[in-house]
Amino acid sequence: MFNHLKSGLRALLHRNRRNADIEEELQGFREAAVQEKLRRGIPPHEALRQAIAETGPAESVRAQVWNAGWESTAESLFRDLLYSLRRLARTPGLVLVVVLSIGLGIAANATIFSIVSKILLRPAPVGDPHTLTTVYLDDDTGGCCNSLSMPSYQDLRDHARSFSGISAYVDLLPASIGGTGEPERIWGQAATTNFFDVTQLSLPLGRGFSPAEDTSPVIVLGYALWQHRFAADKAILGKTILLSGHPYTVIGVAPRSFRGIDLLLDPQFWVPLGDLPQLATNPPDPSRRDWHYLRSAARLQPGVTQSQASAELHVLATDFARQYPATDKGHGFRLMPGGSIGPRDKRSIELFLASLSVVVLLVLSIACANVANLMLAQGARRQREMAVRVALGATRAQLMRQLLLESLTLALAGGAVGVLLSVAATSALSSFRLPVPIPMDLSVDLDWRTLLYSLALSLVAGFLCGIVPAWSASRPHMPNALKGEDANTRPGRRFKLRDLLVVAQISLSLILLCAASLFLRSLQRAAQIDPGFRSTGILILAIDPQVHGYTPARTARFLATLRDRVLQLPGVLSATTTDGVPLSMGHRSDGFSVPGQPSQQEPPSVELYMASPGYFETLGIPRLSGRDFTPQDTAPTITDPKSKSKAPIAAVVNEEFVRRLFPHQNPIGQRVNGAGTPYDIIGVVKDTKSRTIGENQRPVLYRALAQTIPADPSGDGYQIMIRYEADPTSLTTLVRSTIRDLDPTLAIFNIQTIEQHLKDALFLPRLVGTLFTVFAAIGLALATIGLYGVMSYSVSQRTKEIGIRMALGARIESVQHLLLTEGMRLALASIAIGLPLALAASKLATTMLYGVHPYDAITFTLVPILLTAVSLLACYLPSRRASRIDPMISLRADG
């Protein structure tokens, strides 16, 4: 097989030499034949004549030899390709429209598929990713999925035989890196010492942890951190850096592609898990089986399948439940591929991406219909050419091959344009930010899967766009085709194929336009939703004194001092400190109950925020009753050593909290319990949004910050929010200088205005609205071009008819009306078909709409009107051109 391929390539590359070899072989055969005939007594001249007659002419022999190999087909295809390129070069307008149409469709699909590839298809950036798994904890009630506790991890490590190694890590660990330059807030992971062995990572610089370094102050830097913080210094190994004020020795640098096993997180360093107590703000107790804080990375043994490992884990879970019934009863283990999205979120993400994939396939379908229409028109113009070629001996298979090759060439060019457009689109998508305090890797790029998918789509699009035009054009009705008659417009055809394609285009565009309108109105409504707090004139900065070893009391004093200093800055109206900014997509919550009241089966989950004096004034949250926090509420609480009971913490609640726990009662002075902590309600404020802008109202409890820090410190740092009437840039500089004066080692991070934060909080409606608007605009443009093209072609085919009508006295208005009626009949039929489909599809978008009904009357009234107006314009221009045709010129036109 290989030798046959090799000889064929050599023949194609050295054609003259191949022909010379054939001539030499032919001459040798003839000479042998002549000698044989001479031995049989045949005269020389007759022997030569017979030998030549037996073999045939040299040209015929060469043709037979070439046709016997695959190289003949390749050469024929190459000639067809050259002809196709020359042919397409004579129609640059058609090429431009087709390439752009397919390019836009491919760009939309490549952009969405790049997201699918990153989130769902791309394996973890580790060695042999297909044998790396993640072990989750679930329970028999269907709850899934939780992290492991240290004892659970140790039991799996010691007893599971399906794994060659199992590592555990804390997925996010905040820290501050000091040294040269300003302190910087970074996030990393604390992992067991076998982490880099289990993941089979080959570090470009240095090494991973050794078994003896479980509590050693050593660190592996992420590649990006090594580049921007240490200028990619290759001599960094062995040097000491300050991590949260602690000296750490750099022993390695992770690979460029490795940002942790989890796909969306972006850790920047790795330290041994034994260092967690000195780096974590509130380190977990490693002896407790009910503290689930460890993610896992388990490597399957060679030859062991995931199902076999799951079966073993089921047996182990049963044993553990029998040994530790208080914590492990009803619990099991679930295996997932390493680096994949957790089971809790995977289904919703898959449905969202599947919806987007269907939408972009609709865009490509509109593009294909548009291109097929253009190719049909082009094929109709070439009927005479096809008939002549058939008459000269060309087979219809050869004609179809030629036409399909032209279509595929255009589609591949469109695919290349689409990939280039997708590069810009994915770069724009990467600029979207989630309003969360943790590092997220939302970058999207084109990998080999996306390129392969784009190539496959281009080939499929080229085939679909070209097969019907090629079939039609390669089967001309000879008498009519030689006169130039369009095969698709023969008498008796009520509906032309091009008309059906236009109807499909406009119908699909109507669906996309309705979806885009719904999501844009949803974005508008989301932006108009009152979050319950001030949306302008607030500057937000974050610090985390605790990572530098600050005690809770010292942290509270530092935050109070910082607030007092900031209040003295020019342009500052008010200031406060808190542990979380509202609308950050997630926050601390606990179940709450009221002492003396019957316990509810499911206690309401209440959002918890720490707040210092000035919080409600700064955010502009109206107080309805009671009082605000005062300095008297900020003294740290001391647990009574005799009763071991906690002193209550001052709390302010919102209206929803009162509706849930104190209906028809005055909550002021009442006591509530949350996670074992008592709270005394001192005030009630208006409702505010907590996690997302479109959520149903949640109950919220604000806790006195200084009283809360000792027992429940924040793991994400603390924010200072400043209401100002000055320039935010200059105020930021002043605040940074104030913090530097208090402690120059503290990193300042997440600096933004409340306007920027609210923009990020609209992440989902902005993302969906932007995508659907772009897709709908592409679909509308393509459908308009398609309708305009059909009408223009219809005018060109009816030139003589129009001339006769006008010569017989038809008025210009009647000619225009005739053509407009024909075009608008297609548009109205499309709307009649597309509107019910759009109404059905809108129901699927219910969960992603904010304040807009899926059957929104404005959307389903204005969009058809807009599409009708655009269609009218697309029909009017060709009809206006037709009405100005000179009858004498049109009567001399062909066809």
Side-chain angles (χ1 to χ4, degrees):
M1 178 67 181
F2 177 75
N3 291 333
H4 183 62
L5 179 63
K6 184 177 180 181
S7 63
L9 288 174
R10 186 163 53 243
L12 286 173
L13 296 175
H14 305 285
R15 185 180 182 87
N16 292 334
R17 183 185 302 173
R18 176 61 169 156
N19 285 333
D21 291 342
I22 295 173
E23 291 279 0
E24 185 178 346
E25 291 178 13
L26 178 62
Q27 186 64 31
F29 177 82
R30 285 176 175 175
E31 290 176 357
V34 168
Q35 292 299 323
E36 174 63 25
K37 296 180 187 301
L38 289 174
R39 282 195 298 271
R40 286 161 31 199
I42 300 175
H45 67 279
E46 180 63 21
L48 178 61
R49 187 191 66 78
Q50 290 182 11
I52 293 176
E54 289 174 358
T55 59
E59 292 80 2
S60 176
V61 173
R62 283 199 302 269
Q64 291 178 21
V65 173
W66 277 98
N67 290 336
W70 66 267
E71 58 269 22
S72 173
T73 303
E75 188 179 37
S76 177
L77 286 174
F78 183 70
R79 286 197 303 268
D80 287 347
L81 178 61
L82 292 179
Y83 177 79
S84 298
L85 294 176
R86 290 195 301 269
R87 175 84 192 178
L88 293 173
R90 294 198 292 269
T91 55
L94 173 71
V95 171
L96 180 63
V97 173
V98 170
V99 169
L100 281 179
S101 297
I102 294 181
L104 290 171
I106 296 296
N109 280 272
T111 301
I112 297 305
F113 189 81
S114 63
I115 304 175
V116 174
S117 178
K118 175 184 174 67
I119 296 179
L120 300 180
L121 302 180
R122 192 176 300 178
V126 298
D128 192 12
H130 302 294
T131 62
L132 189 73
T133 64
T134 299
V135 182
Y136 290 98
L137 191 68
D138 62 8
D139 57 60
D140 53 12
T141 62
C144 183
C145 288
N146 208 345
S147 300
L148 303 178
S149 65
M150 176 59 77
S152 295
Y153 158 70
Q154 292 170 341
D155 287 340
L156 286 177
R157 180 195 62 193
D158 297 339
H159 296 92
R161 298 292 176 259
S162 298
F163 306 115
S164 60
I166 178 169
S167 175
Y169 60 94
V170 175
D171 54 3
L172 280 178
L173 176 66
S176 174
I177 189 167
T180 306
E182 286 196 6
E184 181 180 351
R185 171 73 157 195
I186 58 175
W187 294 77
Q189 295 182 334
T192 53
T193 55
N194 64 343
F195 180 78
F196 294 100
D197 297 325
V198 171
T199 54
Q200 296 180 6
L201 281 177
S202 177
L203 273 59
L205 194 66
R207 61 175 178 82
F209 307 128
S210 69
E213 291 177 328
D214 182 50
T215 58
S216 300
V218 293
I219 185 171
V220 174
L221 301 176
Y223 195 92
L225 180 64
W226 174 56
Q227 280 197 316
H228 87 263
R229 183 74 187 187
F230 302 100
D233 181 12
K234 293 186 177 180
I236 190 71
L237 296 182
K239 291 185 178 179
T240 299
I241 65 173
L242 290 178
L243 189 70
S244 298
H246 303 284
Y248 272 76
T249 302
V250 178
I251 61 171
V253 175
R256 181 194 295 268
S257 61
F258 186 70
R259 291 184 171 181
I261 298 174
D262 304 278
L263 288 170
L264 298 180
L265 297 181
D266 189 15
Q268 297 164 290
F269 69 87
W270 289 264
V271 295
L273 188 59
D275 289 348
L276 189 62
Q278 77 171 356
L279 292 176
T281 301
N282 188 22
D285 185 350
S287 66
R288 294 182 56 172
R289 297 188 69 89
D290 57 344
W291 279 39
H292 305 286
Y293 63 97
L294 291 176
R295 299 292 299 274
S296 67
R299 178 73 62 177
L300 292 173
Q301 289 275 16
V304 175
T305 65
Q306 187 166 312
S307 59
Q308 291 171 333
S310 297
E312 184 193 17
L313 290 180
H314 177 72
V315 174
L316 290 177
T318 303
D319 292 341
F320 298 157
R322 188 165 47 251
Q323 296 177 44
Y324 313 104
T327 56
D328 289 26
K329 186 177 181 180
H331 287 173
F333 297 105
R334 180 179 297 192
L335 273 182
M336 295 290 292
S340 62
I341 298 295
R344 185 178 301 168
D345 304 317
K346 188 174 183 180
R347 180 167 178 78
S348 59
I349 292 176
E350 286 177 339
L351 288 174
F352 175 68
L353 293 178
S355 302
L356 289 180
S357 299
V358 170
V359 169
V360 292
L361 285 175
L362 289 180
V363 174
L364 184 59
S365 299
I366 296 172
C368 287
N370 190 42
V371 171
N373 234 330
L374 293 173
M375 300 297 285
L376 276 172
Q378 184 69 8
R381 293 189 181 98
R382 297 174 64 180
Q383 285 287 294
R384 183 177 296 174
E385 173 198 341
M386 296 295 109
V388 170
R389 294 178 68 177
V390 170
L392 293 177
T395 66
R396 286 173 173 171
Q398 289 175 328
L399 296 182
M400 280 197 67
R401 185 180 69 182
Q402 174 69 51
L403 294 170
L404 275 176
L405 192 59
E406 291 181 13
S407 176
L408 290 172
T409 301
L410 290 170
L412 289 174
V417 171
V419 168
L420 293 177
L421 293 174
S422 183
V423 171
T426 52
S427 176
L429 282 179
S430 299
S431 65
F432 282 82
R433 291 183 65 255
L434 285 171
V436 293
I438 60 176
M440 301 289 289
D441 178 18
L442 299 181
S443 60
V444 182
D445 54 16
L446 270 65
D447 58 7
W448 66 267
R449 294 175 188 81
T450 306
L451 295 177
L452 187 62
Y453 180 73
S454 301
L455 174 62
L457 272 186
S458 300
L459 293 174
V460 171
F463 180 80
L464 294 178
C465 293
I467 185 64
V468 174
W471 180 272
S472 175
S474 65
R475 281 160 172 72
H477 188 261
M478 297 298 289
N480 295 345
L482 289 171
K483 294 187 295 184
E485 180 184 304
D486 185 353
N488 294 316
T489 57
R490 295 173 193 159
R493 289 200 177 192
R494 186 169 183 178
F495 293 105
K496 308 182 187 76
L497 180 57
R498 287 192 297 276
D499 294 346
L500 296 178
L501 290 173
V502 167
V503 169
Q505 282 182 277
I506 299 177
S507 298
L508 294 176
S509 297
L510 177 65
I511 296 173
L512 288 178
L513 283 170
C514 288
S517 176
L518 284 174
F519 287 119
L520 284 177
R521 282 178 51 75
S522 173
L523 175 60
Q524 180 187 23
R525 289 289 183 89
Q528 293 174 349
I529 293 175
D530 181 12
F533 53 84
R534 187 173 281 114
S535 59
T536 59
I538 297 177
L539 177 66
I540 305 169
L541 301 93
I543 55 174
D544 194 353
Q546 296 165 144
V547 299
H548 287 271
Y550 276 54
T551 64
R554 186 184 174 196
T555 299
R557 288 196 301 270
F558 180 88
L559 294 175
T561 302
L562 175 60
R563 175 177 175 271
D564 292 340
R565 294 277 190 93
V566 167
L567 285 171
Q568 299 173 12
L569 297 177
V572 174
L573 301 177
S574 63
T576 189
T577 52
T578 182
D579 64 330
V581 181
L583 297 183
S584 294
M585 298 189 68
H587 201 60
R588 170 71 182 276
S589 62
D590 279 330
F592 269 71
S593 61
V594 180
Q597 290 188 5
S599 298
Q600 301 184 30
Q601 187 173 2
E602 290 188 10
S605 179
V606 177
E607 302 287 295
L608 299 178
Y609 289 89
M610 300 184 199
S612 69
Y615 182 90
F616 305 107
E617 177 189 0
T618 301
L619 286 179
I621 302 175
R623 190 171 72 252
L624 302 178
S625 61
R627 63 177 178 84
D628 197 350
F629 296 117
T630 66
Q632 286 70 35
D633 299 313
T634 58
T637 318
I638 301 175
T639 301
D640 184 350
K642 294 182 179 180
S643 64
K644 297 185 179 180
S645 61
K646 298 179 180 178
I649 295 175
V652 175
V653 298
N654 70 341
E655 297 171 285
E656 183 65 19
F657 185 98
V658 176
R659 282 191 288 269
R660 296 280 190 92
L661 278 83
F662 296 100
H664 313 297
Q665 298 182 51
N666 181 9
I668 303 301
Q670 300 276 10
R671 179 165 294 182
V672 293
N673 288 326
T677 301
Y679 297 91
D680 283 346
I681 299 176
I682 63 170
V684 178
V685 295
K686 292 281 289 183
D687 286 335
T688 60
K689 298 295 184 180
S690 178
R691 300 196 176 194
T692 62
I693 193 70
E695 68 185 7
N696 293 326
Q697 185 58 56
R698 299 172 183 267
V700 179
L701 181 141
Y702 305 92
R703 315 180 280 177
L705 182 141
Q707 290 181 333
T708 307
I709 287 178
D712 190 14
S714 169
D716 298 330
Y718 298 91
Q719 289 76 34
I720 178 165
M721 297 191 289
I722 308 162
R723 186 162 67 96
Y724 62 89
E725 58 180 3
D727 174 52
T729 303
S730 58
L731 179 60
T732 301
T733 303
L734 291 174
V735 177
R736 293 175 70 99
S737 178
T738 301
I739 296 173
R740 292 282 171 268
D741 291 342
L742 292 173
D743 188 342
T745 66
L746 290 182
I748 305 170
F749 54 97
N750 293 348
I751 303 173
Q752 59 182 345
T753 63
I754 195 69
E755 293 90 341
Q756 294 168 328
H757 176 71
L758 289 176
K759 180 182 177 182
D760 293 339
L762 295 173
F763 168 80
L764 185 59
R766 282 178 56 232
L767 175 64
V768 176
T770 300
L771 290 175
F772 273 83
T773 300
V774 172
F775 298 153
I778 293 173
L780 178 61
L782 292 174
T784 304
I785 292 172
L787 181 57
Y788 176 82
V790 165
M791 293 305 301
S792 296
Y793 183 77
S794 177
V795 168
S796 69
Q797 291 294 301
R798 300 173 66 177
T799 300
K800 183 173 287 189
E801 174 197 341
I802 294 171
I804 293 173
R805 288 176 179 272
M806 298 183 70
L808 293 176
R811 299 172 58 190
I812 292 177
E813 292 81 3
S814 64
V815 172
Q816 277 189 294
H817 181 267
L818 173 68
L819 296 173
L820 276 174
T821 302
E822 180 181 326
M824 290 307 296
R825 186 168 62 247
L826 294 177
L828 294 176
S830 305
I831 293 173
I833 294 172
L835 196 57
L837 296 176
L839 285 167
S842 66
K843 187 65 177 176
L844 302 176
T846 303
T847 58
M848 292 186 288
L849 296 176
Y850 296 87
V852 177
H853 195 275
Y855 303 138
D856 180 54
I858 295 178
T859 293
F860 289 99
T861 301
L862 293 183
V863 169
I865 292 174
L866 170 65
L867 200 53
T868 302
V870 172
S871 300
L872 183 62
L873 179 62
C875 296
Y876 171 75
L877 295 177
S879 67
R880 183 172 179 270
R881 186 175 70 248
S883 66
R884 298 189 176 188
I885 293 176
D886 187 334
M888 297 304 296
I889 296 176
S890 65
L891 289 173
R892 292 195 295 268
D894 291 336

